[in-house]
Every structure is written in C-alpha cells, then in structure tokens.
C-alpha cells in the first residue's frame, strides 16, 4: 500500500430519492426533455434546502429551464446503482468521492467531457482522460461532541479508551466514501495493511457498528448519542450551522502530526446518458466562477478552481481549521486496483 504524501472531502448513505425518475433509456424523445438526472454522494444538499446543490440547481433551472432530478446515497452505492442500470442508463451526471469516481471510470460508466473552467482545476483533482473533474474540494475528518467532550481525542490511540465504548461510530468502508476514507487514512497513518488492521480490530470494541450513511452520524454526535464519528470537512462544517455541538478534528498517530487527505466531490458525464447535452450544461454551470464562489459561503467547502479565492467568513474559518494539518495524497491507482482486498481485510479484522 503506497499512500505517501504530497499536499493535495461522502458520503454516505441510505438511498434518498429526492425526485421520481422516468425511464429515459436514451431515446430521441428523452434527449429533448428539459431535465437532467444527478446521482450523487450526500453532503452538498442542505438538510433544510440551504446547501450548495440547492442554490446551484435552483439557479441552473431558472437560467436554463432544465429541471434537476436528484438521487442521493453513499459513494459506492451510487456507482453500484449506475452499474446495475448500464443497459438502461438513468443518470446523466455522477458525483462521487475517490476512490469511487476512479472506480466508475474503470468500469466504463463515464464518458469523456471537459467542462468549461476545468483548465483551472489542479491535475490531481481531475482525470487524465477527461472522464471526471472535481467540482468541490473537501478533506477527510472526524467530529466530536464539544459539549460532552470539550477537547478532541487527538490521536487514534486515544479512541481505544473504554469511555468511547458504544459512543464511537464510523461509516462502512466500501459502501460510504467517508467510511472508505477511514480505512485509507489508517493504512497511511499506521504504515501499511497489517498494523492498520491490527488497530481497527482493537477499535471495534468501541464501535457501535456499521452505518451506510456518514451524514446520519452527525446528528447523533450533536445530541450526545455518540461522542465521536467520522465525516468530512465540507459536510460537517455545513451541518454545524444547525448542530451547535459539532466540532471537526483530524486524528494523528501517537507522537505524530494530525493528517488528512483531499476527498473532492468529483463529477463525470455518465456514458450513454439519456440527456447528455443537459448533463454537459450542468457540469459547466457547477464549475463556472459564480457557482465556485458560492462553494464556501453556501456549502462550507473549498472551490475546485484554483483561480477562485473566496474571502467570506466560511472560507476564512475553513482555512484556520486546516492550519497545522499535514495533507497527503493517497495512491489512488493502488487503491482503485486493491480496494476490494483492503475492504475484505477490514471485514476479517473487525468481524463485520
């Protein structure tokens, strides 16, 4: 496992269908419809209709007349759904986290399209073959209840304390993007598969159990049902606006610095999309300067475009949050090739 550092976010979830889908299939009649269907990892749509997606989709519909139909779930779940529908494609745009966006590309689910503005996205945040481009940057993190637990645990080792028994939960690797991120970060921080699995086996004594949805863990932490859970910076920062007891932190290996890595929301045009032209328009719209300037102010995330440098209050708070945190770049090619074996090793170690 090579997850070594170079500076460079869920993901989760029980399937939520925000709008009913019509069986489009790719006919000429379907291609003329004023609609675009998005399959996405959760985190960018607000609990109260106040998220980045809510704003961008409303603006897009007003400007183009094209209605956005939205389906939300875990990163792996969305890829698997698109894969099952490959012979009768329903989605036009797929938005998911690494390594699932790479998985979607390798399984032939995406077609090549370079949105306008993609030249301002760093090379590490887009596919070399043009099959996907990040639209919102983000980072892996953990949360704690700052009322019941004023100081963050700080280290992985601290989470083994008995006071966290049945008060700690992380979403399921291989299903949720953020849950898979727990596995990736443990592999990096502990220096390989064997020590990472040894640690996660010990941690299982405190773990409440599997969760397909990372976003559903934050309300439990806010209420004090859990003291600690995994998440990602963008989603948890946005949730904290209505969940005052949430605080974000980054685990460190004992004696080391806190670390994280980028988990961008990456978007691609689905192969044989029933509304390809509408999908292209939405990708252009999400990466346009106006929408990118709203990523922090509205969505609590980081713009994907390097030429967009917001100075709103959220952007300043996010920059402060990341101070002193070491950012590494995982070897996504290795993870894409070996994810199944890493997840199997996790299942074996934890008895999941």
């Amino acid at each position: 496992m090579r997850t070594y550092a170079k500076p460079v976010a869920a993901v989760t979830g029980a399937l939520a269908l925000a709008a009913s889908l019509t069986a489009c299939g790719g006919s000429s009649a379907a291609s003329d419809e004023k609609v675009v269907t998005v399959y996405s990892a959760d985190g960018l749509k607000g609990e109260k209709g106040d998220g980045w997606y809510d704003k961008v989709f409303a603006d897009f519909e007003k400007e183009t007349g094209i209605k956005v139909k939205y389906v939300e779930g875990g990163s792996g779940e969305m890829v698997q759904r698109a894969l099952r529908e490959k012979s009768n494609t329903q989605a036009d745009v797929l938005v998911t986290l690494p390594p699932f966006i790479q998985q979607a590309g390798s399984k032939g689910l995406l077609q090549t399209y370079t949105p306008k503005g993609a030249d301002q996205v760093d090379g590490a945040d887009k596919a070399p073959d043009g099959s996907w481009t990040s639209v919102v940057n983000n980072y892996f993190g953990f949360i704690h209840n700052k009322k019941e637990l004023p100081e963050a645990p700080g280290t992985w080792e601290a989470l083994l304390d008995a006071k966290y028994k049945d008060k700690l939960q992380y979403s399921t690797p291989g299903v949720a993007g953020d849950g898979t991120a727990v596995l990736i970060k443990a592999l990096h921080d502990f220096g390989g598969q064997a020590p990472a699995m040894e640690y996660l086996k010990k941690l299982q004594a405190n773990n409440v159990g599997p969760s397909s949805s990372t976003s559903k863990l934050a309300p439990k932490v806010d209420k004090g049902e859990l003291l600690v859970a995994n998440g990602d910076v963008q989603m948890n920062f946005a949730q904290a606006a209505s969940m005052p007891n949430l605080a974000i932190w980054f685990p460190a290996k004992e004696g080391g610095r806190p670390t994280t890595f980028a988990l961008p929301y990456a978007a691609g045009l689905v192969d044989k999309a029933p509304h390809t032209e509408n999908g292209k328009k939405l990708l252009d719209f999400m990466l346009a300067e106006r929408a990118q300037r709203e990523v922090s102010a509205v969505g609590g995330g980081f713009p994907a475009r390097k030429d967009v440098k917001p100075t709103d209050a959220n952007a300043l708070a996010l920059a402060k949050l990341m101070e002193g945190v070491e950012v590494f770049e995982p070897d996504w090619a290795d993870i894409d090739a070996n994810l199944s074996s890493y997840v199997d090793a996790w299942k074996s170690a934890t008895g999941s």
Side-chain angles (χ1 to χ4, degrees), residues 299-316:
F302 305 80
R305 288 180 56 149
K306 58 190 176 186
D307 62 333
V308 175
K309 302 184 186 300
T311 57
D312 58 88
N314 283 354
L316 297 176

Side-chain angles (χ1 to χ4, degrees), residues 175-238:
V175 176
D178 286 329
T180 306
V182 172
L183 186 55
I184 292 169
K185 181 165 152 60
L187 287 163
H188 172 270
D189 286 4
F190 288 93
Q193 181 173 310
M197 298 309 154
E198 182 183 351
Y199 169 79
L200 291 170
K201 181 178 181 179
K202 294 176 183 175
L203 185 65
Q204 195 66 10
N206 288 342
N207 188 16
V208 170
S211 171
S212 63
S213 171
T214 313
S215 65
K216 293 188 186 312
L217 300 182
K220 295 180 181 180
V221 174
D222 184 59
K223 292 172 187 173
E225 294 173 23
L226 298 172
L227 291 177
V228 174
N230 70 311
D232 64 71
V233 173
Q234 177 278 324
M235 179 174 65
N236 296 143
F237 188 90

